[in-house]
Amino acid sequence: MLKINNLQARVEAAEILKGIDLEVKAGEVHAIMGPNGSGKSTLCQVLGGRDGYEVTGGTVEFMGKDLFELEPEERAREGILLGFQYPVEIPGVKNIYLLKEAYNAQRKHRGEPEADTFQFLKLVREKLKTMQMDESFLHRAVNVGFSGGEKKRNEILQMLVLEPKLALLDETDSGLDIDALKVVSEGVNRLRSPDRAIVLVTHYQRLLSHIEPDFVHVLSGGRIIKSGDKTLAHELERNGYQGIIEEAA
Amino acid sequence: MSTNALSQHYAEQVQRVQDGLPGAIPEWLAGRRRGAAARFSEAGFPDPRQEEWKYTNVRPIATKPFMAAVTDAPLSEEALRAMGFQGLDAYRMVFVDGRLRTEFSDLADLPAGVTVQGLADALASDPDPLEPLLGTLAHDRFSSFAAANMAFLTDGAVIRLGKGVRLERPLHLLMVGSAGGPATWSHPRVLIQAGEGSDATVIEHYADLEGASGFTNTVTELRAEAGAQLRHYLLQDHADSAYHVGSVFVQQRRDSRVTSHNVNLGGRLVRHDLNVDLTEPGAEIELNGLFLVGGRQHVDTHTRVHHSSPHTTSREQYRGIGQGHGRGVFKGRVLVERGAQKTDAQQHSANLLLSPNAEIDTKPELEIYADDVKCAHGATVGQLDETSMYYLRSRGIDAEAARGMLVFAFADEVLERMELAPVRTSIERRLAARLPEAGAIDVIG
């Protein structure tokens, strides 16, 4: 599904990604872990297509297409959805409106008829329940006045509605208390399916005790320095990043 | 036209109006009009050397020999519907080129204690009750446009609400321009007297028939007596070739509350002044403003809020959007008099530039002479937020639609304060139609 080959990127003058190789197949859950400044967020933004993140080398293929040929909205419609570390507040745009526009943009892209308000509401109500969100959230401006936990739940709500092929979650666990973490994890687990891949980018192991990954990768200094199964996360928990970084050096 | 020829032209116009005043004009009115005519002749149109006109050169107006428009233009119900607000249940007065057209107006079932009249009718039948209302808030010294309005006064609306009267349905004053010639003008005047404890909504609405391109020069005088609640909509949706200069003067007494919604969408050259005097404790005003300038439009909005008594409150939120080669101005002055303690004044001006060739100047001015007050102001001019754009696009919404959503949301934060849903929805649609990038906006969303 996703093939990253020797990806290098910089932000302004700073080289951040120095050659990343990663392959993600349908049905898999990958965790990318790493200390602050290792390049985790840069990797997410490069895959999302954000301005200011310059790809200087390597390739990324998604479902056989060159990702860098696609605008951010095209990537989303092809099925990559990025859950933001800091979901953006958009005053004046109602949550329901954003969801519906995004949902219909995708349907239109696939040549399917757009959903009417009634059909759409029915779909969203069900997803709201999973995320333990009140219906009033739909009529509030996107993320405006939401608590940290509510913002993250809102990100996962979008995932549940848009059903991406690849869900890319950037530090979705940061700023969550234990109850919110459970709800968010429950939402992500609902996304698990044989034809969908999930990539969790996180600093901490605790998310992985709720969402069990198939693969764990350690990112440091802009490279994946070690990959393994879920036991690698436990090792990190015991020894910290420093141990692995030294071992790899 | 040369300056001399123009002076000659306006001297003749003044004379013609003086000769044609209806019926037996009382001396107070004749005197005010003579004074205004003299002031207009003497001062002429303002020029950019005057501080108040620094951003707006009225040369396109000042170089034309304007004359009164012909007022019997045909008007279809269909055209009126197209200009109106779908689903609005309102009393209606329709003016064409500044003249009341009773055949299109509907004032049936006004409650007792409410008087709504054409100004020309009121002056012809019983002028004296207007002596304290007409030209007493709007001094023609204010500007030569206000003076011209008094000098060339022909018609308008008089709205008087008795003590404790509540007008359930809004009153829609639809001022239609029909004249195609570039040098016709009209001078509507609106007088609103909201008696003690009365409650009403008045929509002052300027629009044009297709092809109209005249100059509308308006003055509104609004008095809110103790405890009155008044919502005043001023919606300017002229043709893009039209000129519009308007001033609204508001005077508020104890515990009165006025809400002003001022939207400027159309016009080639537009200047709007809103002057508020909070004269007694407990008076409160909310000012919501929005302007959109595109093409070669120029819209200059000024507000002046005068806290002349203690315990008075003002809440002001003005927003501007510039696209194309549009040029917008917001100048907001808040004056807190010595002794106006416990004044609570907030003013915010936010502006969005969508094109590198658009320009918006914003100038808040706070003048405070009391020491126990709460005053805050802020002004911003910026472009669309890149992070918000990226966020929307990362959800599959294309750049054009995302831009439209954000621009619309920016404007809607002002429009959503309108209590009348049919007016709000209609203005939202007209706004969306003027934003090329937001053409696909689903207003209902």
Side-chain angles (χ1 to χ4, degrees), chain B residues 382-408:
Chain B
Q383 291 162 354
L384 278 184
D385 179 41
E386 278 309 314
T387 313
S388 302
M389 277 294 290
Y390 173 56
Y391 187 72
L392 293 176
R393 293 177 73 191
S394 77
R395 267 63 195 141
I397 296 166
D398 69 47
E400 219 168 88
R403 203 172 289 125
M405 277 169 86
L406 293 176
V407 174
F408 189 79

Short mmCIF file of all heavy atoms in Angstrom, two decimals, chain B residues 382-408:
data_model
loop_
_atom_site.label_atom_id
_atom_site.label_comp_id
_atom_site.label_asym_id
_atom_site.label_seq_id
_atom_site.Cartn_x
_atom_site.Cartn_y
_atom_site.Cartn_z
N GLY B 382 -5.04 40.62 7.38
CA GLY B 382 -4.24 39.45 7.07
C GLY B 382 -4.78 38.68 5.89
O GLY B 382 -5.75 39.07 5.26
N GLN B 383 -4.08 37.59 5.61
CA GLN B 383 -4.51 36.71 4.54
C GLN B 383 -5.11 35.46 5.14
O GLN B 383 -5.08 35.28 6.35
CB GLN B 383 -3.31 36.38 3.65
CG GLN B 383 -2.86 37.62 2.88
CD GLN B 383 -1.46 37.50 2.34
OE1 GLN B 383 -0.76 36.54 2.62
NE2 GLN B 383 -1.05 38.49 1.58
N LEU B 384 -5.60 34.61 4.29
CA LEU B 384 -6.17 33.36 4.79
C LEU B 384 -5.09 32.56 5.51
O LEU B 384 -3.95 32.52 5.08
CB LEU B 384 -6.71 32.54 3.63
CG LEU B 384 -8.10 32.91 3.14
CD1 LEU B 384 -8.53 31.94 2.06
CD2 LEU B 384 -9.11 32.94 4.26
N ASP B 385 -5.49 31.94 6.58
CA ASP B 385 -4.56 31.18 7.39
C ASP B 385 -4.14 29.91 6.66
O ASP B 385 -4.96 29.06 6.33
CB ASP B 385 -5.25 30.85 8.72
CG ASP B 385 -4.35 30.03 9.61
OD1 ASP B 385 -3.15 30.33 9.65
OD2 ASP B 385 -4.84 29.08 10.24
N GLU B 386 -2.82 29.78 6.42
CA GLU B 386 -2.30 28.65 5.66
C GLU B 386 -2.54 27.32 6.36
O GLU B 386 -2.80 26.30 5.72
CB GLU B 386 -0.80 28.83 5.39
CG GLU B 386 -0.49 29.73 4.21
CD GLU B 386 -1.24 29.33 2.93
OE1 GLU B 386 -1.27 28.13 2.59
OE2 GLU B 386 -1.85 30.22 2.29
N THR B 387 -2.44 27.33 7.69
CA THR B 387 -2.63 26.09 8.43
C THR B 387 -4.06 25.58 8.29
O THR B 387 -4.29 24.38 8.12
CB THR B 387 -2.31 26.33 9.92
OG1 THR B 387 -1.08 27.03 9.99
CG2 THR B 387 -2.18 25.02 10.67
N SER B 388 -5.01 26.52 8.33
CA SER B 388 -6.42 26.12 8.16
C SER B 388 -6.65 25.57 6.76
O SER B 388 -7.37 24.59 6.57
CB SER B 388 -7.35 27.31 8.38
OG SER B 388 -7.15 27.84 9.66
N MET B 389 -6.03 26.23 5.77
CA MET B 389 -6.14 25.76 4.39
C MET B 389 -5.63 24.32 4.28
O MET B 389 -6.28 23.46 3.68
CB MET B 389 -5.31 26.64 3.45
CG MET B 389 -5.96 27.92 3.00
SD MET B 389 -7.38 27.62 1.94
CE MET B 389 -6.60 27.01 0.45
N TYR B 390 -4.46 24.10 4.84
CA TYR B 390 -3.84 22.77 4.76
C TYR B 390 -4.72 21.73 5.47
O TYR B 390 -4.93 20.63 4.97
CB TYR B 390 -2.45 22.82 5.38
CG TYR B 390 -1.77 21.47 5.52
CD1 TYR B 390 -1.58 20.65 4.41
CD2 TYR B 390 -1.32 21.04 6.77
CE1 TYR B 390 -0.96 19.41 4.55
CE2 TYR B 390 -0.70 19.80 6.90
CZ TYR B 390 -0.53 18.99 5.80
OH TYR B 390 0.09 17.78 5.94
N TYR B 391 -5.26 22.12 6.60
CA TYR B 391 -6.10 21.19 7.37
C TYR B 391 -7.32 20.76 6.54
O TYR B 391 -7.63 19.58 6.44
CB TYR B 391 -6.54 21.86 8.67
CG TYR B 391 -7.27 20.93 9.62
CD1 TYR B 391 -6.59 19.93 10.30
CD2 TYR B 391 -8.63 21.07 9.86
CE1 TYR B 391 -7.25 19.08 11.18
CE2 TYR B 391 -9.30 20.23 10.73
CZ TYR B 391 -8.60 19.23 11.39
OH TYR B 391 -9.27 18.40 12.26
N LEU B 392 -7.98 21.72 5.94
CA LEU B 392 -9.17 21.40 5.13
C LEU B 392 -8.78 20.55 3.92
O LEU B 392 -9.45 19.57 3.58
CB LEU B 392 -9.87 22.68 4.66
CG LEU B 392 -10.51 23.52 5.77
CD1 LEU B 392 -11.09 24.81 5.18
CD2 LEU B 392 -11.60 22.74 6.47
N ARG B 393 -7.69 20.91 3.29
CA ARG B 393 -7.25 20.14 2.11
C ARG B 393 -6.85 18.73 2.50
O ARG B 393 -7.11 17.78 1.77
CB ARG B 393 -6.07 20.85 1.43
CG ARG B 393 -6.47 22.18 0.79
CD ARG B 393 -5.28 22.88 0.19
NE ARG B 393 -4.83 22.23 -1.03
CZ ARG B 393 -3.68 22.51 -1.65
NH1 ARG B 393 -2.86 23.41 -1.13
NH2 ARG B 393 -3.36 21.89 -2.76
N SER B 394 -6.27 18.59 3.68
CA SER B 394 -5.86 17.25 4.12
C SER B 394 -7.06 16.36 4.39
O SER B 394 -6.92 15.17 4.62
CB SER B 394 -4.99 17.35 5.38
OG SER B 394 -5.82 17.60 6.51
N ARG B 395 -8.27 16.95 4.37
CA ARG B 395 -9.50 16.18 4.51
C ARG B 395 -10.14 15.91 3.15
O ARG B 395 -11.28 15.44 3.07
CB ARG B 395 -10.49 16.90 5.42
CG ARG B 395 -10.41 16.49 6.88
CD ARG B 395 -9.08 16.82 7.49
NE ARG B 395 -8.85 16.12 8.76
CZ ARG B 395 -7.68 15.60 9.13
NH1 ARG B 395 -6.63 15.66 8.33
NH2 ARG B 395 -7.55 15.02 10.29
N GLY B 396 -9.46 16.30 2.07
CA GLY B 396 -9.96 15.98 0.74
C GLY B 396 -10.72 17.12 0.08
O GLY B 396 -11.26 16.97 -1.00
N ILE B 397 -10.76 18.28 0.75
CA ILE B 397 -11.48 19.42 0.19
C ILE B 397 -10.52 20.22 -0.69
O ILE B 397 -9.42 20.57 -0.23
CB ILE B 397 -12.05 20.28 1.34
CG1 ILE B 397 -13.07 19.44 2.12
CG2 ILE B 397 -12.67 21.57 0.82
CD1 ILE B 397 -13.47 20.01 3.44
N ASP B 398 -10.89 20.49 -1.93
CA ASP B 398 -9.90 21.12 -2.81
C ASP B 398 -9.64 22.57 -2.41
O ASP B 398 -10.42 23.19 -1.68
CB ASP B 398 -10.26 20.96 -4.29
CG ASP B 398 -11.49 21.75 -4.68
OD1 ASP B 398 -11.58 22.93 -4.32
OD2 ASP B 398 -12.37 21.16 -5.34
N ALA B 399 -8.52 23.08 -2.89
CA ALA B 399 -8.03 24.38 -2.42
C ALA B 399 -9.07 25.47 -2.63
O ALA B 399 -9.28 26.33 -1.77
CB ALA B 399 -6.73 24.73 -3.14
N GLU B 400 -9.74 25.43 -3.77
CA GLU B 400 -10.71 26.47 -4.07
C GLU B 400 -11.89 26.45 -3.09
O GLU B 400 -12.30 27.47 -2.56
CB GLU B 400 -11.24 26.25 -5.49
CG GLU B 400 -11.45 27.51 -6.26
CD GLU B 400 -11.69 27.18 -7.72
OE1 GLU B 400 -12.86 26.96 -8.05
OE2 GLU B 400 -10.71 27.14 -8.48
N ALA B 401 -12.40 25.25 -2.87
CA ALA B 401 -13.53 25.11 -1.93
C ALA B 401 -13.10 25.47 -0.51
O ALA B 401 -13.84 26.11 0.23
CB ALA B 401 -14.09 23.70 -1.99
N ALA B 402 -11.88 25.08 -0.16
CA ALA B 402 -11.37 25.37 1.19
C ALA B 402 -11.28 26.88 1.39
O ALA B 402 -11.68 27.42 2.42
CB ALA B 402 -10.01 24.72 1.39
N ARG B 403 -10.76 27.56 0.37
CA ARG B 403 -10.64 29.02 0.44
C ARG B 403 -12.02 29.64 0.61
O ARG B 403 -12.24 30.50 1.45
CB ARG B 403 -9.96 29.53 -0.83
CG ARG B 403 -9.29 30.86 -0.67
CD ARG B 403 -8.47 31.23 -1.91
NE ARG B 403 -7.28 30.43 -2.04
CZ ARG B 403 -6.97 29.71 -3.13
NH1 ARG B 403 -7.76 29.72 -4.18
NH2 ARG B 403 -5.87 29.00 -3.16
N GLY B 404 -12.96 29.16 -0.19
CA GLY B 404 -14.34 29.66 -0.09
C GLY B 404 -14.93 29.46 1.28
O GLY B 404 -15.53 30.36 1.85
N MET B 405 -14.71 28.29 1.85
CA MET B 405 -15.24 28.00 3.18
C MET B 405 -14.68 28.96 4.21
O MET B 405 -15.39 29.47 5.07
CB MET B 405 -14.85 26.57 3.60
CG MET B 405 -15.76 25.49 3.07
SD MET B 405 -15.04 23.83 3.35
CE MET B 405 -15.62 23.49 5.00
N LEU B 406 -13.37 29.21 4.12
CA LEU B 406 -12.73 30.05 5.14
C LEU B 406 -13.15 31.51 5.01
O LEU B 406 -13.38 32.19 6.00
CB LEU B 406 -11.21 29.91 5.05
CG LEU B 406 -10.65 28.53 5.42
CD1 LEU B 406 -9.15 28.49 5.19
CD2 LEU B 406 -10.98 28.20 6.87
N VAL B 407 -13.26 31.98 3.77
CA VAL B 407 -13.66 33.37 3.56
C VAL B 407 -15.10 33.55 4.04
O VAL B 407 -15.44 34.51 4.74
CB VAL B 407 -13.58 33.76 2.07
CG1 VAL B 407 -14.14 35.16 1.86
CG2 VAL B 407 -12.14 33.70 1.60
N PHE B 408 -15.92 32.60 3.67
CA PHE B 408 -17.32 32.68 4.05
C PHE B 408 -17.46 32.64 5.57
O PHE B 408 -18.22 33.41 6.16
CB PHE B 408 -18.08 31.53 3.41
CG PHE B 408 -19.54 31.66 3.57
CD1 PHE B 408 -20.26 32.51 2.76
CD2 PHE B 408 -20.20 30.95 4.55
CE1 PHE B 408 -21.62 32.66 2.92
CE2 PHE B 408 -21.56 31.09 4.73
CZ PHE B 408 -22.27 31.94 3.91
#
